[in-house]
Amino acid sequence: MAMVSFNILSQQRPCSATVSSYPYKLQSSSHIHELSIRSSGLCHMPTQSSSSDCYAGNSYLWLATKKRSGPLYSIFPQTPAAVSSVQDLFEFITSGPLLEKLGLTQEKVAESIDKWIECGSHLCRLFQINELYLTVPQKARIYHYYVPVFLWCEDQITRHRSLFKYGEDIPPIVIGFSAPQGCGKTTLVFALEFLFRTNGQKAATLSIDDFYLTAEDQAKLRERNPGNALLEFRGNAGSHDLQFSVETLTGLSKLTKEGMKMKLPRYDKSAYNGRGDRADSSTWPEAEGPLTVVLFEGWMLGFKPLPMEFVKAVDPQLETVNRNLEAYEDAWDKFIEAWIVIKISDPSCVYQWRLQAEIAMREDGKPGMSDEEVKDFVSRYLPAYNAYLPTLYSEGPNGSDPERLLVIEIDEGRNPILAN
């Protein structure tokens, strides 16, 4: 493999920058955060006559990449900081666990290093972390996880759009994210949506949580299944409004032109002391056309019905859940063109992750479940994890194309690792 070298210029060069306030609403599956993100413009290559100084506290990168066969240059402000050179960053990126899986060689990373740096800079501003002082875990989350997945999604969009003729309306591609609760899928999708928007592409996010039955209909489901703990509260197959799912996904597929708008449903998990209810429609965010991509995530997305004797051996209460699951392929899976599966080694870690989420919700001033309630809540999901995850990991989601499937194995810290 060819080595790629970078020359780092040490002299200070002037630049100009603009700083603006960008309000952004995170529509998570648990609650809505209002973020105020200070977003500074990337500096362009300065001219010899420039006289303004770099904006203090930010790093500005200039990439002299007119000839990709030549050296790559970067300039950082003359501020004491624990900042890596582009060479160091390049080496860190190419050590990531996902690159081989994505078919990214050192040469391909070098050719697109400016985009990696730009995406990383956007994410630092989004999460309000100082890009000059990134810790190793922060660098790993950005350059070993979020940015590579974003680039993979862009490739899927390109492939999707190539299927249509010039002048045809192109519906948005739906990318499905199947991942256990608490593993960070909502934050991943949030980061991806932001990157799409900073690249001028309109994106919409949905969770299977957004299609949970209303509290009233969930009570009716509980009454129809007395004694079945798996259907007492929201979560398992049967607790979703599938017709509402079809109507929403179909509506999003039609947002192909400017001026088209559609509200996206949201679910309020904090309602009824953490048992949840569909949020009031006045609070739902709005998607606008032309929509490029729909990011659709959920803990049981892509689960396949299994032989009844098998699921009954895992837990007899799964029999009804397994029967309900048969309707989900037409309601969800058939809309999804590309898949990302986040794989865990032990479903028991879901409890700790869920507990962390509920604690954060309570600290945010929203009512949430107690520790004991969390334990009871997660116990209602574990039978499905134990029954369906092995098939999901070995065969892929229901109806998925192996060539359009990305499986990412993560550790207990929610970071990608090399698959065994």
Side-chain angles (χ1 to χ4, degrees):
M1 184 175 294
M3 293 298 294
V4 182
S5 61
F6 299 88
N7 292 336
I8 311 301
L9 301 184
S10 59
Q11 70 270 28
Q12 184 174 4
R13 295 287 293 278
C15 70
S16 61
T18 59
V19 180
S20 61
S21 178
Y22 180 80
Y24 191 93
K25 285 187 177 180
L26 166 57
Q27 304 286 350
S28 71
S29 58
S30 58
H31 60 291
I32 300 175
H33 284 302
E34 184 76 19
L35 298 180
S36 179
I37 301 150
R38 293 184 62 80
S39 176
S40 60
L42 290 178
C43 285
H44 301 289
M45 181 69 74
T47 63
Q48 294 295 329
S49 60
S50 282
S51 58
S52 57
D53 293 328
C54 285
Y55 187 82
N58 291 274
S59 70
Y60 296 103
L61 307 176
W62 296 275
L63 300 173
T65 55
K66 293 182 179 179
K67 294 184 179 180
R68 281 297 177 191
S69 58
L72 182 64
Y73 298 95
S74 177
I75 302 171
F76 295 89
Q78 294 285 317
T79 304
V83 66
S84 299
S85 68
V86 175
Q87 176 70 46
D88 292 338
L89 181 59
F90 170 80
E91 292 175 355
F92 186 83
I93 290 171
T94 55
S95 70
L98 296 182
L99 259 65
E100 183 176 353
K101 186 184 291 284
L102 299 178
L104 292 174
T105 62
Q106 282 194 349
E107 289 77 14
K108 288 182 179 180
V109 172
E111 290 171 0
S112 59
I113 191 66
D114 48 351
K115 185 162 190 174
W116 285 82
I117 294 173
E118 184 179 15
C119 288
S121 183
H122 287 318
L123 291 176
C124 287
R125 291 195 295 273
L126 173 64
F127 294 113
Q128 297 180 312
I129 54 180
N130 191 334
E131 61 185 300
L132 297 180
Y133 292 89
L134 289 180
T135 64
V136 172
Q138 288 171 341
K139 285 175 65 178
R141 186 62 59 90
I142 290 173
Y143 293 107
H144 285 177
Y145 196 2
Y146 294 165
V147 176
V149 171
F150 172 68
L151 296 177
W152 183 86
C153 289
E154 282 202 322
D155 287 343
Q156 299 305 310
I157 291 172
T158 300
R159 181 169 177 173
H160 168 76
R161 298 180 72 86
S162 70
L163 301 175
F164 297 87
K165 297 179 182 178
Y166 179 78
E168 285 185 321
D169 287 341
I170 302 178
I173 181 177
V174 180
I175 301 178
F177 296 76
S178 182
Q181 299 150 304
C183 73
K185 62 183 179 297
T186 301
T187 305
L188 169 63
V189 167
F190 172 53
L192 294 174
E193 181 190 17
F194 183 76
L195 288 177
F196 280 120
R197 291 187 182 278
T198 58
N199 279 268
Q201 297 169 300
K202 293 180 180 179
T205 62
L206 283 174
S207 168
I208 65 171
D209 300 357
D210 300 325
F211 301 123
Y212 279 138
L213 297 172
T214 62
E216 180 181 356
D217 288 339
Q218 181 62 46
K220 294 176 181 178
L221 177 68
R222 180 166 55 250
E223 292 171 1
R224 293 195 301 270
N225 296 273
N228 191 328
L230 304 186
L231 294 173
E232 184 177 1
F233 303 111
R234 71 176 191 264
N236 285 287
S239 64
H240 301 89
D241 187 335
L242 297 186
Q243 182 58 39
F244 185 39
S245 307
V246 171
E247 292 170 358
T248 302
L249 290 166
T250 301
L252 287 173
S253 71
K254 298 177 181 179
L255 295 186
T256 59
K257 292 183 173 65
E258 290 284 351
M260 292 182 168
K261 296 181 180 181
M262 177 180 168
K263 282 200 166 187
L264 301 175
R266 290 295 184 258
Y267 191 83
D268 181 5
K269 289 184 178 180
S270 67
Y272 295 98
N273 294 319
R275 293 305 180 186
D277 194 9
R278 189 171 298 162
D280 189 279
S281 59
S282 64
T283 67
W284 296 359
E286 200 169 58
E288 299 182 11
L291 201 58
T292 300
V293 58
V294 176
L295 307 173
F296 186 25
E297 54 97 347
W299 74 274
M300 54 165 283
L301 204 59
F303 281 11
K304 301 176 182 180
L306 298 173
M308 202 61 74
E309 291 304 313
F310 173 79
V311 298
K312 287 170 65 176
V314 175
D315 189 320
Q317 298 178 106
L318 276 175
E319 183 176 1
T320 304
V321 172
N322 194 61
R323 191 177 298 114
N324 293 338
L325 195 56
E326 295 174 359
Y328 278 66
E329 181 176 6
D330 285 339
W332 292 350
D333 301 340
K334 73 174 184 180
F335 288 94
I336 299 173
E337 189 172 332
W339 287 85
I340 293 176
V341 172
I342 300 177
K343 180 180 178 180
I344 60 174
S345 59
D346 183 4
S348 64
C349 61
V350 170
Y351 167 72
Q352 192 61 37
W353 289 340
R354 183 70 208 177
L355 183 61
Q356 292 170 358
E358 290 296 327
I359 291 173
M361 189 181 297
R362 296 198 297 263
E363 290 178 347
D364 200 40
K366 292 181 176 289
M369 291 183 281
S370 67
D371 293 4
E372 283 301 315
E373 287 173 329
V374 170
K375 186 176 181 179
D376 175 70
F377 183 76
V378 172
S379 71
R380 302 168 192 267
Y381 292 84
L382 287 178
Y385 283 133
N386 292 328
Y388 299 111
L389 282 183
T391 302
L392 176 72
Y393 296 157
S394 63
E395 299 180 5
N398 209 350
S400 62
D401 178 354
E403 294 186 359
R404 309 200 68 179
L405 168 64
L406 175 62
V407 179
I408 303 171
E409 189 168 348
I410 63 170
D411 59 20
E412 292 183 2
R414 305 180 182 89
N415 292 310
I417 57 177
L418 288 171
N420 295 326

